């Protein structure tokens, strides 16, 4: 439709976001158009600032505005235990439980052969280097209970166990195929407390 190009451009860009279909993108577009220009400019500036000023922590690969991140820079955390998660948002979920006081490592995905994602597309090489440089006693593999999450956890366990480090998997009284982002803190905290050791196959 003539004269609709700026609107269509915004709908298209919003619809590229995960979980946002075209109808939702249209609703968001018209919502934004109804707002004061100052409010929209604040949103745009927040997006640009977050992108420019956020970086990956050189230790754990979590997103932060400082390096090392606040968690890695905290000497009061338990340096004997490391929790491996898929995405930065999973760190937030774990922290909400109040049940974990160690350090984290963010993979930024899972091994997914069907999507062409192998170990080198993740931060697995950095993880192994970190484990070799630091005296961790236990690694908690807290990937999601999906097929790719399970595959990734087993792959990591096979690499980590020969290093003499105990590998555990958080106990899922959770739906298979689920995403930790959608579980409440009590559920995740219970799963963390009831984690089980991954036994090396003889």
């Amino acid at each position: 439709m003539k004269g609709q190009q700026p609107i269509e451009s915004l709908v298209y860009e919003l619809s590229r976001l995960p979980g946002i279909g075209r109808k939702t993108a249209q609703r968001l577009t018209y919502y934004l158009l109804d707002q004061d220009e100052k409010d929209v400019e604040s949103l745009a500036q927040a997006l640009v600032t977050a992108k420019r000023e956020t970086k990956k922590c050189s230790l754990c690969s979590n997103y932060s505005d400082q390096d090392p991140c606040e968690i890695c820079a905290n000497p009061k955390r338990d340096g004997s235990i490391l929790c491996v998660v898929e995405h930065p948002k999973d760190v937030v979920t774990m922290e909400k439980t109040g049940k974990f006081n160690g350090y984290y490592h963010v993979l930024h995905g899972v091994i997914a052969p069907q999507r062409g994602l192998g170990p080198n597309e993740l931060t697995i090489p950095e993880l192994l280097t970190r484990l070799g440089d630091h005296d961790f006693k236990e690694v908690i593999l807290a990937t999601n209970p999906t097929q790719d999450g399970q595959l990734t956890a087993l792959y990591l366990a096979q690499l980590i166990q020969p290093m003499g480090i105990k590998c555990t998997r958080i106990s899922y009284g959770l739906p298979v195929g689920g995403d930790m982002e959608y579980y409440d803190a009590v559920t995740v905290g219970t799963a963390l407390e009831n984690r089980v050791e991954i036994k090396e196959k003889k």
Side-chain angles (χ1 to χ4, degrees):
M1 184 183 300
K2 192 174 181 179
Q4 293 286 303
Q5 186 172 348
I7 294 175
E8 283 301 312
S9 294
L10 182 53
V11 170
Y12 170 73
E13 293 298 333
L14 290 172
S15 67
R16 295 172 62 197
L17 296 172
I20 304 295
R22 182 170 174 80
K23 287 185 177 181
T24 300
Q26 285 178 325
R27 284 197 298 271
L28 290 171
T29 294
Y30 285 105
Y31 170 80
L32 291 170
L33 291 175
D34 283 338
Q35 303 309 300
D36 291 339
E37 185 171 341
K38 182 174 63 176
D39 293 334
V40 177
E41 286 177 349
S42 295
L43 173 61
Q45 186 58 51
L47 288 168
V48 172
T49 301
K51 181 61 179 176
R52 286 179 179 168
E53 298 185 5
T54 301
K55 63 199 81 170
K56 285 183 182 179
C57 172
S58 59
L59 294 176
C60 71
S61 294
N62 193 17
Y63 288 132
S64 176
D65 61 352
Q66 65 182 63
D67 188 20
C69 70
E70 185 177 0
I71 292 175
C72 287
N74 185 352
K76 294 182 179 180
R77 298 189 72 104
D78 186 349
S80 69
I81 188 166
L82 184 72
C83 182
V84 178
V85 297
E86 292 182 18
H87 302 288
K89 65 187 183 222
D90 298 331
V91 174
V92 176
T93 301
M94 283 292 187
E95 286 294 284
K96 284 181 179 178
T97 69
K99 303 290 186 181
F100 182 73
N101 192 42
Y103 293 101
Y104 295 95
H105 189 87
V106 183
L107 296 173
H108 288 275
V110 287
I111 297 172
Q114 72 278 11
R115 289 185 280 132
L117 294 176
N120 290 330
E121 279 70 51
L122 310 178
T123 61
I124 291 177
E126 292 86 345
L127 170 62
L128 297 177
T129 298
R130 190 177 180 192
L131 293 177
D133 292 342
H134 190 95
D135 189 26
F136 288 109
K137 304 299 183 186
E138 179 185 355
V139 173
I140 302 173
L141 300 173
T143 53
N144 286 314
T146 60
Q147 184 174 352
D148 291 336
Q150 296 282 42
L151 171 65
T152 303
L154 291 174
Y155 176 84
L156 289 175
Q158 291 173 353
L159 294 177
I160 296 169
Q161 286 169 333
M163 302 172 75
I165 302 173
K166 179 181 178 182
C167 280
T168 57
R169 186 90 168 100
I170 59 176
S171 172
Y172 283 104
L174 310 171
V176 174
D179 191 318
M180 204 159 29
E181 178 185 8
Y182 301 110
Y183 303 139
D184 62 87
V186 174
T187 301
V188 176
T190 301
L192 183 61
E193 288 184 320
N194 295 329
R195 62 187 182 274
V196 293
E197 184 173 1
I198 300 175
K199 301 292 186 180
E200 186 174 3
K201 293 182 179 179
K202 302 298 183 182

